[in-house]
Amino acid sequence: MSTLTKVALGMMGQLRPKPATGASAPAIALPPPRKHGGVPLAEALAKRHSSRDFAGKALPLPLLSDLLWAAFGVNRPDGGRTAPSALNAQEVDVFVALPTGAYLYDAAAHELQLVAASDLRRVTGYQDFVDEAPMDLVYVADHRRMGLVPVGKREAFAYTAAGAIAQNVYLFAASRGLAAVIRAWIDTDAIANALGLSHDQQVLLSQTVGYPKAGR
Ligand SMILES: Cc1cc2nc3c(=O)[nH]c(=O)nc-3n(C[C@H](O)[C@H](O)[C@H](O)COP(=O)(O)O)c2cc1C
């Protein structure tokens, strides 16, 4: 769908998901993440960049598993995560829009839980490439977990935490030869509706990840 069409539909509150392609499994068990390998950090930093040219090819499950763990997985026995959060509120949820459905990443169980049996990719942003790239991540703050954070700081801290997650994803992508772009040009209401979010949940940012289009 073109950007113009999406903007017009968004203004009418009509930007909606597509039917899912294939079966929407209620849960997807992710294989254990590989916590070794990849290029050295300095090399990943040297390669990190935003890309908006994606091939449609799906990411294999082991790669998706590694990516989500790098993004915001559990990396310590006490439940600590790969990205920081103010007062360890861990208020950001990572949703994953796949052709088969939209899923919540459950970091503790390291699995995906179905939240919507439809293809939400085109709802995750106005830019046309988000429809066809194999996966869009959506970062959502759950304000109910930020009870200890001063009210006036909650939104800023949630965006900061989401930014750290997004940079993990960028570095992972650079390390594995994937393309990625963080996006704020999104219809937050359309995404919230499609994901069935509550009033306590705030859509922050979206990030597209996939294989780079050939020749890019
Ligand atoms: C908060 C934030 C919002 C952004 N929103 C978008 C967006 O909606 N669409 C997009 O294509 N790029 C978006 N970007 C990516 C920037 O355009 C990109 O980071 C910038 O051009 C620098 O390029 P680089 O990431 O390759 O260094 C965003 C970046 C940030 C940090």
Side-chain angles (χ1 to χ4, degrees), residues 23-31 61 64 98 100-106 109-117:
S24 305
I28 300 175
L30 297 166
L61 204 56
L64 179 59
L98 298 169
T100 51
Y103 291 84
L104 170 67
Y105 173 51
D106 178 340
H110 195 59
E111 69 172 28
L112 293 175
Q113 294 163 355
L114 186 71
V115 293

Side-chain angles (χ1 to χ4, degrees), residues 48-52 127 129 159 170 180-186 205-206:
R48 189 221 64 87
H49 68 284
S50 297
S51 171
R52 298 166 188 83
Q127 290 159 286
F129 61 80
Y159 273 106
Y170 265 123
V181 61
I182 185 74
R183 296 181 287 100
W185 190 30
I186 59 179
L205 294 163
S206 186

Side-chain angles (χ1 to χ4, degrees), residues 74-95:
V74 173
N75 70 353
R76 279 157 283 169
D78 67 358
R81 313 283 285 268
T82 58
S85 66
L87 292 163
N88 198 21
Q90 301 185 1
E91 73 275 18
V92 177
D93 283 317
V94 180
F95 289 85

Side-chain angles (χ1 to χ4, degrees), residues 147-164:
L148 296 177
V149 179
V151 175
K153 301 279 188 196
R154 287 180 190 170
E155 184 168 310
F157 286 3
Y159 273 106
T160 304

Side-chain angles (χ1 to χ4, degrees), residues 1-12 14-16 122 125-126 128 131:
M1 189 182 283
S2 76
T3 296
L4 264 181
T5 308
K6 287 194 196 197
V7 171
L9 287 174
M11 284 166 67
M12 296 185 289
Q14 296 292 328
L15 185 54
R16 301 262 161 80
R122 73 174 175 202
Y126 290 116
D128 49 9
D131 303 27

